Amino acid sequence: PGVALPTREVFDAFDKMGAGPSSLLGSPPRDSRDELLAFLRLRPNDLEAAAISLQPAIGEVLSTLQDLPSCRLARMSGSGATCFALFASARAAAAAARALNQEMSRWWIQSTIVQ
């Protein structure tokens, strides 16, 4: 969202929330993309709520990404503020990037393929 978010501040906010780390562990499946996405949906970024409490724009970015056609998963990376979305295909990702570039000209947007 184009906002600064120092990692230490996010961890301090996380500690103050008292939630603790997620207890959902395990290795991600490697057999299929759908199984991997299902695995990831059950394991949120533990720092997301803390980061959003400090920079609410992150929540707006995640909501915008999740609402894009063909978005399979939208998340914040690490302790923020970078966010990303995974799409059903490279074509869908490119279309989403074009739409976002028109709507959110201040955002840095890059469509790529992760293999």
Side-chain angles (χ1 to χ4, degrees):
V3 297
L5 189 59
T7 298
R8 179 166 184 101
E9 290 180 21
V10 176
F11 276 92
D12 287 346
F14 177 77
D15 289 343
K16 288 178 186 170
M17 294 175 129
S22 172
S23 62
L24 298 172
L25 301 175
S27 298
R30 300 184 189 274
D31 296 337
S32 80
R33 188 176 300 156
D34 289 336
E35 288 178 13
L36 176 60
L37 288 168
F39 176 87
L40 292 173
R41 282 188 198 100
L42 294 174
R43 288 155 179 83
N45 181 330
D46 292 337
L47 300 174
E48 188 175 293
I52 291 171
S53 75
L54 298 169
Q55 290 288 356
I58 294 168
E60 296 166 19
V61 170
L62 291 171
S63 179
T64 298
L65 293 174
Q66 191 63 52
D67 289 345
L68 291 166
S70 298
C71 177
R72 305 284 304 273
L73 181 77
R75 286 286 168 79
M76 180 184 80
S77 177
S79 60
T82 300
C83 298
F84 66 92
L86 302 177
F87 291 87
S89 68
R91 181 175 290 188
R98 284 191 301 274
L100 281 173
N101 273 316
Q102 290 178 348
E103 186 180 334
M104 304 298 191
S105 60
R106 295 180 332 155
W107 291 6
W108 179 81
I109 299 164
Q110 181 62 50
S111 174
T112 191
I113 296 173
V114 178
Q115 295 186 11

PDB file of all heavy atoms in Angstrom, residues 4-45:
ATOM      1  N   ALA A   4       5.171   2.637   5.197  1.00  0.00           N
ATOM      2  CA  ALA A   4       6.278   2.024   5.934  1.00  0.00           C
ATOM      3  C   ALA A   4       5.733   1.274   7.142  1.00  0.00           C
ATOM      4  O   ALA A   4       4.765   1.713   7.767  1.00  0.00           O
ATOM      5  CB  ALA A   4       7.254   3.109   6.384  1.00  0.00           C
ATOM      6  N   LEU A   5       6.362   0.160   7.442  1.00  0.00           N
ATOM      7  CA  LEU A   5       5.930  -0.633   8.586  1.00  0.00           C
ATOM      8  C   LEU A   5       7.134  -1.373   9.157  1.00  0.00           C
ATOM      9  O   LEU A   5       7.472  -2.468   8.705  1.00  0.00           O
ATOM     10  CB  LEU A   5       4.835  -1.622   8.171  1.00  0.00           C
ATOM     11  CG  LEU A   5       4.148  -2.363   9.284  1.00  0.00           C
ATOM     12  CD1 LEU A   5       3.487  -1.402  10.270  1.00  0.00           C
ATOM     13  CD2 LEU A   5       3.119  -3.316   8.721  1.00  0.00           C
ATOM     14  N   PRO A   6       7.791  -0.777  10.147  1.00  0.00           N
ATOM     15  CA  PRO A   6       8.963  -1.429  10.735  1.00  0.00           C
ATOM     16  C   PRO A   6       8.606  -2.769  11.391  1.00  0.00           C
ATOM     17  O   PRO A   6       7.633  -2.877  12.139  1.00  0.00           O
ATOM     18  CB  PRO A   6       9.447  -0.422  11.783  1.00  0.00           C
ATOM     19  CG  PRO A   6       8.890   0.898  11.331  1.00  0.00           C
ATOM     20  CD  PRO A   6       7.573   0.558  10.699  1.00  0.00           C
ATOM     21  N   THR A   7       9.417  -3.765  11.112  1.00  0.00           N
ATOM     22  CA  THR A   7       9.181  -5.111  11.623  1.00  0.00           C
ATOM     23  C   THR A   7       9.060  -5.128  13.146  1.00  0.00           C
ATOM     24  O   THR A   7       8.176  -5.796  13.704  1.00  0.00           O
ATOM     25  CB  THR A   7      10.313  -6.045  11.170  1.00  0.00           C
ATOM     26  OG1 THR A   7      10.301  -6.086   9.736  1.00  0.00           O
ATOM     27  CG2 THR A   7      10.147  -7.445  11.716  1.00  0.00           C
ATOM     28  N   ARG A   8       9.920  -4.408  13.811  1.00  0.00           N
ATOM     29  CA  ARG A   8       9.889  -4.398  15.289  1.00  0.00           C
ATOM     30  C   ARG A   8       8.535  -3.917  15.810  1.00  0.00           C
ATOM     31  O   ARG A   8       8.008  -4.464  16.784  1.00  0.00           O
ATOM     32  CB  ARG A   8      11.017  -3.537  15.847  1.00  0.00           C
ATOM     33  CG  ARG A   8      10.981  -3.498  17.365  1.00  0.00           C
ATOM     34  CD  ARG A   8      12.258  -2.936  17.950  1.00  0.00           C
ATOM     35  NE  ARG A   8      12.183  -3.018  19.384  1.00  0.00           N
ATOM     36  CZ  ARG A   8      12.785  -3.950  20.102  1.00  0.00           C
ATOM     37  NH1 ARG A   8      13.504  -4.871  19.519  1.00  0.00           N
ATOM     38  NH2 ARG A   8      12.680  -3.966  21.411  1.00  0.00           N
ATOM     39  N   GLU A   9       7.973  -2.892  15.184  1.00  0.00           N
ATOM     40  CA  GLU A   9       6.668  -2.377  15.620  1.00  0.00           C
ATOM     41  C   GLU A   9       5.579  -3.429  15.450  1.00  0.00           C
ATOM     42  O   GLU A   9       4.677  -3.545  16.279  1.00  0.00           O
ATOM     43  CB  GLU A   9       6.316  -1.108  14.851  1.00  0.00           C
ATOM     44  CG  GLU A   9       7.169   0.076  15.215  1.00  0.00           C
ATOM     45  CD  GLU A   9       6.802   1.333  14.452  1.00  0.00           C
ATOM     46  OE1 GLU A   9       5.665   1.420  13.932  1.00  0.00           O
ATOM     47  OE2 GLU A   9       7.658   2.227  14.368  1.00  0.00           O
ATOM     48  N   VAL A  10       5.652  -4.192  14.385  1.00  0.00           N
ATOM     49  CA  VAL A  10       4.655  -5.244  14.153  1.00  0.00           C
ATOM     50  C   VAL A  10       4.769  -6.316  15.236  1.00  0.00           C
ATOM     51  O   VAL A  10       3.765  -6.740  15.813  1.00  0.00           O
ATOM     52  CB  VAL A  10       4.804  -5.861  12.750  1.00  0.00           C
ATOM     53  CG1 VAL A  10       3.834  -7.023  12.556  1.00  0.00           C
ATOM     54  CG2 VAL A  10       4.589  -4.801  11.679  1.00  0.00           C
ATOM     55  N   PHE A  11       5.991  -6.744  15.538  1.00  0.00           N
ATOM     56  CA  PHE A  11       6.168  -7.762  16.577  1.00  0.00           C
ATOM     57  C   PHE A  11       5.771  -7.231  17.950  1.00  0.00           C
ATOM     58  O   PHE A  11       5.198  -7.973  18.761  1.00  0.00           O
ATOM     59  CB  PHE A  11       7.602  -8.300  16.567  1.00  0.00           C
ATOM     60  CG  PHE A  11       7.803  -9.385  15.554  1.00  0.00           C
ATOM     61  CD1 PHE A  11       8.248  -9.079  14.277  1.00  0.00           C
ATOM     62  CD2 PHE A  11       7.535 -10.706  15.862  1.00  0.00           C
ATOM     63  CE1 PHE A  11       8.425 -10.080  13.331  1.00  0.00           C
ATOM     64  CE2 PHE A  11       7.710 -11.714  14.926  1.00  0.00           C
ATOM     65  CZ  PHE A  11       8.155 -11.396  13.655  1.00  0.00           C
ATOM     66  N   ASP A  12       6.034  -5.963  18.225  1.00  0.00           N
ATOM     67  CA  ASP A  12       5.591  -5.374  19.494  1.00  0.00           C
ATOM     68  C   ASP A  12       4.066  -5.384  19.586  1.00  0.00           C
ATOM     69  O   ASP A  12       3.495  -5.732  20.624  1.00  0.00           O
ATOM     70  CB  ASP A  12       6.118  -3.941  19.641  1.00  0.00           C
ATOM     71  CG  ASP A  12       7.606  -3.887  19.937  1.00  0.00           C
ATOM     72  OD1 ASP A  12       8.202  -4.934  20.290  1.00  0.00           O
ATOM     73  OD2 ASP A  12       8.187  -2.780  19.805  1.00  0.00           O
ATOM     74  N   ALA A  13       3.404  -5.004  18.508  1.00  0.00           N
ATOM     75  CA  ALA A  13       1.933  -5.011  18.492  1.00  0.00           C
ATOM     76  C   ALA A  13       1.402  -6.435  18.634  1.00  0.00           C
ATOM     77  O   ALA A  13       0.428  -6.681  19.345  1.00  0.00           O
ATOM     78  CB  ALA A  13       1.419  -4.370  17.204  1.00  0.00           C
ATOM     79  N   PHE A  14       2.055  -7.384  17.974  1.00  0.00           N
ATOM     80  CA  PHE A  14       1.662  -8.787  18.071  1.00  0.00           C
ATOM     81  C   PHE A  14       1.776  -9.275  19.514  1.00  0.00           C
ATOM     82  O   PHE A  14       0.865  -9.918  20.043  1.00  0.00           O
ATOM     83  CB  PHE A  14       2.548  -9.632  17.148  1.00  0.00           C
ATOM     84  CG  PHE A  14       2.280 -11.108  17.224  1.00  0.00           C
ATOM     85  CD1 PHE A  14       1.183 -11.664  16.595  1.00  0.00           C
ATOM     86  CD2 PHE A  14       3.138 -11.944  17.925  1.00  0.00           C
ATOM     87  CE1 PHE A  14       0.936 -13.024  16.657  1.00  0.00           C
ATOM     88  CE2 PHE A  14       2.903 -13.307  17.991  1.00  0.00           C
ATOM     89  CZ  PHE A  14       1.795 -13.846  17.352  1.00  0.00           C
ATOM     90  N   ASP A  15       2.891  -8.945  20.169  1.00  0.00           N
ATOM     91  CA  ASP A  15       3.084  -9.347  21.572  1.00  0.00           C
ATOM     92  C   ASP A  15       2.015  -8.745  22.470  1.00  0.00           C
ATOM     93  O   ASP A  15       1.499  -9.416  23.375  1.00  0.00           O
ATOM     94  CB  ASP A  15       4.473  -8.937  22.067  1.00  0.00           C
ATOM     95  CG  ASP A  15       5.587  -9.767  21.449  1.00  0.00           C
ATOM     96  OD1 ASP A  15       5.294 -10.857  20.894  1.00  0.00           O
ATOM     97  OD2 ASP A  15       6.750  -9.312  21.500  1.00  0.00           O
ATOM     98  N   LYS A  16       1.648  -7.484  22.233  1.00  0.00           N
ATOM     99  CA  LYS A  16       0.621  -6.816  23.043  1.00  0.00           C
ATOM    100  C   LYS A  16      -0.752  -7.440  22.838  1.00  0.00           C
ATOM    101  O   LYS A  16      -1.584  -7.413  23.743  1.00  0.00           O
ATOM    102  CB  LYS A  16       0.584  -5.325  22.714  1.00  0.00           C
ATOM    103  CG  LYS A  16       1.776  -4.577  23.250  1.00  0.00           C
ATOM    104  CD  LYS A  16       1.735  -3.122  22.855  1.00  0.00           C
ATOM    105  CE  LYS A  16       3.026  -2.438  23.296  1.00  0.00           C
ATOM    106  NZ  LYS A  16       3.161  -1.091  22.760  1.00  0.00           N
ATOM    107  N   MET A  17      -0.997  -8.001  21.667  1.00  0.00           N
ATOM    108  CA  MET A  17      -2.285  -8.648  21.399  1.00  0.00           C
ATOM    109  C   MET A  17      -2.411  -9.957  22.171  1.00  0.00           C
ATOM    110  O   MET A  17      -3.520 -10.421  22.423  1.00  0.00           O
ATOM    111  CB  MET A  17      -2.463  -8.903  19.904  1.00  0.00           C
ATOM    112  CG  MET A  17      -2.579  -7.646  19.084  1.00  0.00           C
ATOM    113  SD  MET A  17      -2.630  -8.036  17.335  1.00  0.00           S
ATOM    114  CE  MET A  17      -4.070  -7.100  16.865  1.00  0.00           C
ATOM    115  N   GLY A  18      -1.286 -10.569  22.514  1.00  0.00           N
ATOM    116  CA  GLY A  18      -1.298 -11.790  23.309  1.00  0.00           C
ATOM    117  C   GLY A  18      -1.854 -13.007  22.616  1.00  0.00           C
ATOM    118  O   GLY A  18      -2.215 -13.982  23.267  1.00  0.00           O
ATOM    119  N   ALA A  19      -1.931 -13.004  21.313  1.00  0.00           N
ATOM    120  CA  ALA A  19      -2.524 -14.127  20.597  1.00  0.00           C
ATOM    121  C   ALA A  19      -1.594 -15.329  20.527  1.00  0.00           C
ATOM    122  O   ALA A  19      -2.042 -16.468  20.529  1.00  0.00           O
ATOM    123  CB  ALA A  19      -2.918 -13.703  19.191  1.00  0.00           C
ATOM    124  N   GLY A  20      -0.312 -15.103  20.432  1.00  0.00           N
ATOM    125  CA  GLY A  20       0.637 -16.193  20.277  1.00  0.00           C
ATOM    126  C   GLY A  20       0.631 -16.723  18.860  1.00  0.00           C
ATOM    127  O   GLY A  20      -0.266 -16.436  18.081  1.00  0.00           O
ATOM    128  N   PRO A  21       1.632 -17.517  18.530  1.00  0.00           N
ATOM    129  CA  PRO A  21       1.717 -18.049  17.167  1.00  0.00           C
ATOM    130  C   PRO A  21       0.653 -19.102  16.900  1.00  0.00           C
ATOM    131  O   PRO A  21       0.147 -19.739  17.813  1.00  0.00           O
ATOM    132  CB  PRO A  21       3.118 -18.644  17.108  1.00  0.00           C
ATOM    133  CG  PRO A  21       3.471 -18.929  18.514  1.00  0.00           C
ATOM    134  CD  PRO A  21       2.759 -17.901  19.354  1.00  0.00           C
ATOM    135  N   SER A  22       0.344 -19.283  15.652  1.00  0.00           N
ATOM    136  CA  SER A  22      -0.619 -20.294  15.229  1.00  0.00           C
ATOM    137  C   SER A  22      -0.115 -21.679  15.609  1.00  0.00           C
ATOM    138  O   SER A  22       1.075 -21.955  15.567  1.00  0.00           O
ATOM    139  CB  SER A  22      -0.813 -20.205  13.711  1.00  0.00           C
ATOM    140  OG  SER A  22      -1.585 -21.282  13.264  1.00  0.00           O
ATOM    141  N   SER A  23      -1.026 -22.543  15.975  1.00  0.00           N
ATOM    142  CA  SER A  23      -0.641 -23.905  16.334  1.00  0.00           C
ATOM    143  C   SER A  23      -0.763 -24.856  15.147  1.00  0.00           C
ATOM    144  O   SER A  23      -0.540 -26.041  15.279  1.00  0.00           O
ATOM    145  CB  SER A  23      -1.510 -24.409  17.483  1.00  0.00           C
ATOM    146  OG  SER A  23      -2.859 -24.451  17.070  1.00  0.00           O
ATOM    147  N   LEU A  24      -1.130 -24.331  13.994  1.00  0.00           N
ATOM    148  CA  LEU A  24      -1.312 -25.175  12.813  1.00  0.00           C
ATOM    149  C   LEU A  24       0.020 -25.345  12.092  1.00  0.00           C
ATOM    150  O   LEU A  24       0.450 -24.496  11.329  1.00  0.00           O
ATOM    151  CB  LEU A  24      -2.342 -24.553  11.866  1.00  0.00           C
ATOM    152  CG  LEU A  24      -3.739 -24.406  12.435  1.00  0.00           C
ATOM    153  CD1 LEU A  24      -4.613 -23.599  11.500  1.00  0.00           C
ATOM    154  CD2 LEU A  24      -4.352 -25.778  12.665  1.00  0.00           C
ATOM    155  N   LEU A  25       0.678 -26.443  12.371  1.00  0.00           N
ATOM    156  CA  LEU A  25       1.958 -26.714  11.751  1.00  0.00           C
ATOM    157  C   LEU A  25       1.800 -27.795  10.700  1.00  0.00           C
ATOM    158  O   LEU A  25       0.715 -28.281  10.450  1.00  0.00           O
ATOM    159  CB  LEU A  25       2.970 -27.144  12.821  1.00  0.00           C
ATOM    160  CG  LEU A  25       3.226 -26.140  13.941  1.00  0.00           C
ATOM    161  CD1 LEU A  25       4.150 -26.736  14.980  1.00  0.00           C
ATOM    162  CD2 LEU A  25       3.804 -24.852  13.396  1.00  0.00           C
ATOM    163  N   GLY A  26       2.867 -28.185  10.136  1.00  0.00           N
ATOM    164  CA  GLY A  26       2.847 -29.252   9.149  1.00  0.00           C
ATOM    165  C   GLY A  26       3.523 -28.808   7.876  1.00  0.00           C
ATOM    166  O   GLY A  26       3.729 -27.624   7.638  1.00  0.00           O
ATOM    167  N   SER A  27       3.871 -29.774   7.069  1.00  0.00           N
ATOM    168  CA  SER A  27       4.530 -29.491   5.804  1.00  0.00           C
ATOM    169  C   SER A  27       3.489 -29.299   4.709  1.00  0.00           C
ATOM    170  O   SER A  27       2.496 -30.031   4.656  1.00  0.00           O
ATOM    171  CB  SER A  27       5.447 -30.648   5.419  1.00  0.00           C
ATOM    172  OG  SER A  27       6.452 -30.803   6.391  1.00  0.00           O
ATOM    173  N   PRO A  28       3.742 -28.347   3.842  1.00  0.00           N
ATOM    174  CA  PRO A  28       2.776 -28.129   2.759  1.00  0.00           C
ATOM    175  C   PRO A  28       2.772 -29.300   1.782  1.00  0.00           C
ATOM    176  O   PRO A  28       3.824 -29.879   1.504  1.00  0.00           O
ATOM    177  CB  PRO A  28       3.271 -26.852   2.080  1.00  0.00           C
ATOM    178  CG  PRO A  28       4.688 -26.731   2.472  1.00  0.00           C
ATOM    179  CD  PRO A  28       4.839 -27.407   3.792  1.00  0.00           C
ATOM    180  N   PRO A  29       1.601 -29.650   1.270  1.00  0.00           N
ATOM    181  CA  PRO A  29       1.537 -30.727   0.276  1.00  0.00           C
ATOM    182  C   PRO A  29       2.179 -30.276  -1.034  1.00  0.00           C
ATOM    183  O   PRO A  29       2.143 -29.106  -1.385  1.00  0.00           O
ATOM    184  CB  PRO A  29       0.037 -30.966   0.113  1.00  0.00           C
ATOM    185  CG  PRO A  29      -0.613 -29.712   0.554  1.00  0.00           C
ATOM    186  CD  PRO A  29       0.294 -29.092   1.569  1.00  0.00           C
ATOM    187  N   ARG A  30       2.758 -31.197  -1.731  1.00  0.00           N
ATOM    188  CA  ARG A  30       3.427 -30.886  -2.997  1.00  0.00           C
ATOM    189  C   ARG A  30       2.759 -31.574  -4.186  1.00  0.00           C
ATOM    190  O   ARG A  30       3.256 -31.494  -5.304  1.00  0.00           O
ATOM    191  CB  ARG A  30       4.889 -31.283  -2.919  1.00  0.00           C
ATOM    192  CG  ARG A  30       5.620 -30.548  -1.821  1.00  0.00           C
ATOM    193  CD  ARG A  30       7.089 -30.896  -1.825  1.00  0.00           C
ATOM    194  NE  ARG A  30       7.761 -30.367  -0.666  1.00  0.00           N
ATOM    195  CZ  ARG A  30       8.262 -29.137  -0.581  1.00  0.00           C
ATOM    196  NH1 ARG A  30       8.116 -28.314  -1.583  1.00  0.00           N
ATOM    197  NH2 ARG A  30       8.875 -28.744   0.511  1.00  0.00           N
ATOM    198  N   ASP A  31       1.652 -32.256  -3.928  1.00  0.00           N
ATOM    199  CA  ASP A  31       1.013 -33.030  -4.988  1.00  0.00           C
ATOM    200  C   ASP A  31       0.197 -32.188  -5.953  1.00  0.00           C
ATOM    201  O   ASP A  31       0.143 -32.490  -7.134  1.00  0.00           O
ATOM    202  CB  ASP A  31       0.117 -34.121  -4.387  1.00  0.00           C
ATOM    203  CG  ASP A  31       0.923 -35.144  -3.609  1.00  0.00           C
ATOM    204  OD1 ASP A  31       2.130 -35.281  -3.876  1.00  0.00           O
ATOM    205  OD2 ASP A  31       0.345 -35.797  -2.731  1.00  0.00           O
ATOM    206  N   SER A  32      -0.463 -31.161  -5.441  1.00  0.00           N
ATOM    207  CA  SER A  32      -1.300 -30.359  -6.333  1.00  0.00           C
ATOM    208  C   SER A  32      -1.407 -28.920  -5.830  1.00  0.00           C
ATOM    209  O   SER A  32      -1.267 -28.650  -4.641  1.00  0.00           O
ATOM    210  CB  SER A  32      -2.704 -30.964  -6.444  1.00  0.00           C
ATOM    211  OG  SER A  32      -3.499 -30.617  -5.339  1.00  0.00           O
ATOM    212  N   ARG A  33      -1.650 -28.039  -6.763  1.00  0.00           N
ATOM    213  CA  ARG A  33      -1.833 -26.625  -6.441  1.00  0.00           C
ATOM    214  C   ARG A  33      -3.047 -26.427  -5.537  1.00  0.00           C
ATOM    215  O   ARG A  33      -3.009 -25.648  -4.593  1.00  0.00           O
ATOM    216  CB  ARG A  33      -1.995 -25.838  -7.739  1.00  0.00           C
ATOM    217  CG  ARG A  33      -1.996 -24.351  -7.556  1.00  0.00           C
ATOM    218  CD  ARG A  33      -2.063 -23.626  -8.874  1.00  0.00           C
ATOM    219  NE  ARG A  33      -0.914 -23.988  -9.677  1.00  0.00           N
ATOM    220  CZ  ARG A  33      -0.862 -23.926 -10.999  1.00  0.00           C
ATOM    221  NH1 ARG A  33      -1.896 -23.511 -11.675  1.00  0.00           N
ATOM    222  NH2 ARG A  33       0.208 -24.284 -11.651  1.00  0.00           N
ATOM    223  N   ASP A  34      -4.142 -27.147  -5.817  1.00  0.00           N
ATOM    224  CA  ASP A  34      -5.352 -27.002  -5.003  1.00  0.00           C
ATOM    225  C   ASP A  34      -5.113 -27.425  -3.555  1.00  0.00           C
ATOM    226  O   ASP A  34      -5.590 -26.780  -2.625  1.00  0.00           O
ATOM    227  CB  ASP A  34      -6.504 -27.812  -5.603  1.00  0.00           C
ATOM    228  CG  ASP A  34      -7.031 -27.198  -6.894  1.00  0.00           C
ATOM    229  OD1 ASP A  34      -6.860 -25.975  -7.098  1.00  0.00           O
ATOM    230  OD2 ASP A  34      -7.614 -27.950  -7.701  1.00  0.00           O
ATOM    231  N   GLU A  35      -4.371 -28.517  -3.350  1.00  0.00           N
ATOM    232  CA  GLU A  35      -4.050 -28.958  -1.994  1.00  0.00           C
ATOM    233  C   GLU A  35      -3.169 -27.945  -1.277  1.00  0.00           C
ATOM    234  O   GLU A  35      -3.358 -27.689  -0.085  1.00  0.00           O
ATOM    235  CB  GLU A  35      -3.365 -30.320  -2.023  1.00  0.00           C
ATOM    236  CG  GLU A  35      -4.284 -31.459  -2.376  1.00  0.00           C
ATOM    237  CD  GLU A  35      -3.558 -32.792  -2.434  1.00  0.00           C
ATOM    238  OE1 GLU A  35      -2.403 -32.878  -1.963  1.00  0.00           O
ATOM    239  OE2 GLU A  35      -4.149 -33.751  -2.953  1.00  0.00           O
ATOM    240  N   LEU A  36      -2.228 -27.354  -1.991  1.00  0.00           N
ATOM    241  CA  LEU A  36      -1.366 -26.336  -1.401  1.00  0.00           C
ATOM    242  C   LEU A  36      -2.187 -25.114  -0.988  1.00  0.00           C
ATOM    243  O   LEU A  36      -2.025 -24.588   0.116  1.00  0.00           O
ATOM    244  CB  LEU A  36      -0.262 -25.936  -2.365  1.00  0.00           C
ATOM    245  CG  LEU A  36       0.650 -24.808  -1.879  1.00  0.00           C
ATOM    246  CD1 LEU A  36       1.360 -25.185  -0.582  1.00  0.00           C
ATOM    247  CD2 LEU A  36       1.641 -24.434  -2.969  1.00  0.00           C
ATOM    248  N   LEU A  37      -3.081 -24.668  -1.849  1.00  0.00           N
ATOM    249  CA  LEU A  37      -3.916 -23.510  -1.516  1.00  0.00           C
ATOM    250  C   LEU A  37      -4.815 -23.811  -0.316  1.00  0.00           C
ATOM    251  O   LEU A  37      -4.994 -22.960   0.554  1.00  0.00           O
ATOM    252  CB  LEU A  37      -4.744 -23.076  -2.725  1.00  0.00           C
ATOM    253  CG  LEU A  37      -3.942 -22.397  -3.820  1.00  0.00           C
ATOM    254  CD1 LEU A  37      -4.779 -22.263  -5.089  1.00  0.00           C
ATOM    255  CD2 LEU A  37      -3.430 -21.047  -3.367  1.00  0.00           C
ATOM    256  N   ALA A  38      -5.381 -25.002  -0.253  1.00  0.00           N
ATOM    257  CA  ALA A  38      -6.214 -25.384   0.893  1.00  0.00           C
ATOM    258  C   ALA A  38      -5.383 -25.364   2.170  1.00  0.00           C
ATOM    259  O   ALA A  38      -5.836 -24.892   3.221  1.00  0.00           O
ATOM    260  CB  ALA A  38      -6.834 -26.758   0.660  1.00  0.00           C
ATOM    261  N   PHE A  39      -4.164 -25.864   2.101  1.00  0.00           N
ATOM    262  CA  PHE A  39      -3.244 -25.854   3.238  1.00  0.00           C
ATOM    263  C   PHE A  39      -2.971 -24.416   3.688  1.00  0.00           C
ATOM    264  O   PHE A  39      -3.036 -24.104   4.876  1.00  0.00           O
ATOM    265  CB  PHE A  39      -1.944 -26.556   2.818  1.00  0.00           C
ATOM    266  CG  PHE A  39      -0.860 -26.537   3.845  1.00  0.00           C
ATOM    267  CD1 PHE A  39      -0.797 -27.526   4.817  1.00  0.00           C
ATOM    268  CD2 PHE A  39       0.121 -25.560   3.836  1.00  0.00           C
ATOM    269  CE1 PHE A  39       0.222 -27.529   5.766  1.00  0.00           C
ATOM    270  CE2 PHE A  39       1.141 -25.555   4.775  1.00  0.00           C
ATOM    271  CZ  PHE A  39       1.189 -26.545   5.743  1.00  0.00           C
ATOM    272  N   LEU A  40      -2.681 -23.538   2.736  1.00  0.00           N
ATOM    273  CA  LEU A  40      -2.370 -22.142   3.065  1.00  0.00           C
ATOM    274  C   LEU A  40      -3.577 -21.397   3.640  1.00  0.00           C
ATOM    275  O   LEU A  40      -3.425 -20.554   4.523  1.00  0.00           O
ATOM    276  CB  LEU A  40      -1.843 -21.416   1.830  1.00  0.00           C
ATOM    277  CG  LEU A  40      -0.482 -21.886   1.330  1.00  0.00           C
ATOM    278  CD1 LEU A  40      -0.144 -21.208   0.007  1.00  0.00           C
ATOM    279  CD2 LEU A  40       0.590 -21.656   2.370  1.00  0.00           C
ATOM    280  N   ARG A  41      -4.767 -21.695   3.152  1.00  0.00           N
ATOM    281  CA  ARG A  41      -5.974 -21.021   3.668  1.00  0.00           C
ATOM    282  C   ARG A  41      -6.187 -21.303   5.157  1.00  0.00           C
ATOM    283  O   ARG A  41      -6.761 -20.493   5.866  1.00  0.00           O
ATOM    284  CB  ARG A  41      -7.196 -21.454   2.869  1.00  0.00           C
ATOM    285  CG  ARG A  41      -7.297 -20.759   1.548  1.00  0.00           C
ATOM    286  CD  ARG A  41      -8.640 -21.063   0.867  1.00  0.00           C
ATOM    287  NE  ARG A  41      -8.526 -20.740  -0.527  1.00  0.00           N
ATOM    288  CZ  ARG A  41      -8.315 -21.623  -1.503  1.00  0.00           C
ATOM    289  NH1 ARG A  41      -8.264 -22.917  -1.225  1.00  0.00           N
ATOM    290  NH2 ARG A  41      -8.188 -21.236  -2.748  1.00  0.00           N
ATOM    291  N   LEU A  42      -5.736 -22.458   5.613  1.00  0.00           N
ATOM    292  CA  LEU A  42      -5.891 -22.836   7.016  1.00  0.00           C
ATOM    293  C   LEU A  42      -4.795 -22.258   7.903  1.00  0.00           C
ATOM    294  O   LEU A  42      -4.852 -22.398   9.121  1.00  0.00           O
ATOM    295  CB  LEU A  42      -5.901 -24.365   7.156  1.00  0.00           C
ATOM    296  CG  LEU A  42      -7.084 -25.080   6.533  1.00  0.00           C
ATOM    297  CD1 LEU A  42      -6.891 -26.586   6.617  1.00  0.00           C
ATOM    298  CD2 LEU A  42      -8.378 -24.651   7.198  1.00  0.00           C
ATOM    299  N   ARG A  43      -3.791 -21.644   7.302  1.00  0.00           N
ATOM    300  CA  ARG A  43      -2.644 -21.123   8.045  1.00  0.00           C
ATOM    301  C   ARG A  43      -2.438 -19.651   7.739  1.00  0.00           C
ATOM    302  O   ARG A  43      -1.677 -19.288   6.854  1.00  0.00           O
ATOM    303  CB  ARG A  43      -1.401 -21.939   7.697  1.00  0.00           C
ATOM    304  CG  ARG A  43      -1.459 -23.304   8.311  1.00  0.00           C
ATOM    305  CD  ARG A  43      -0.628 -24.293   7.544  1.00  0.00           C
ATOM    306  NE  ARG A  43      -0.686 -25.607   8.187  1.00  0.00           N
ATOM    307  CZ  ARG A  43      -1.670 -26.477   8.000  1.00  0.00           C
ATOM    308  NH1 ARG A  43      -2.674 -26.195   7.216  1.00  0.00           N
ATOM    309  NH2 ARG A  43      -1.644 -27.654   8.606  1.00  0.00           N
ATOM    310  N   PRO A  44      -3.123 -18.793   8.481  1.00  0.00           N
ATOM    311  CA  PRO A  44      -2.998 -17.356   8.212  1.00  0.00           C
ATOM    312  C   PRO A  44      -1.637 -16.822   8.640  1.00  0.00           C
ATOM    313  O   PRO A  44      -0.890 -17.484   9.364  1.00  0.00           O
ATOM    314  CB  PRO A  44      -4.109 -16.751   9.073  1.00  0.00           C
ATOM    315  CG  PRO A  44      -4.276 -17.725  10.193  1.00  0.00           C
ATOM    316  CD  PRO A  44      -4.012 -19.086   9.600  1.00  0.00           C
ATOM    317  N   ASN A  45      -1.328 -15.636   8.182  1.00  0.00           N
ATOM    318  CA  ASN A  45      -0.120 -14.946   8.631  1.00  0.00           C
ATOM    319  C   ASN A  45      -0.406 -14.448  10.042  1.00  0.00           C
ATOM    320  O   ASN A  45      -1.259 -13.584  10.247  1.00  0.00           O
ATOM    321  CB  ASN A  45       0.197 -13.779   7.685  1.00  0.00           C
ATOM    322  CG  ASN A  45       1.445 -13.037   8.077  1.00  0.00           C
ATOM    323  OD1 ASN A  45       1.809 -12.966   9.257  1.00  0.00           O
ATOM    324  ND2 ASN A  45       2.100 -12.452   7.101  1.00  0.00           N
TER     325      ASN A  45
END
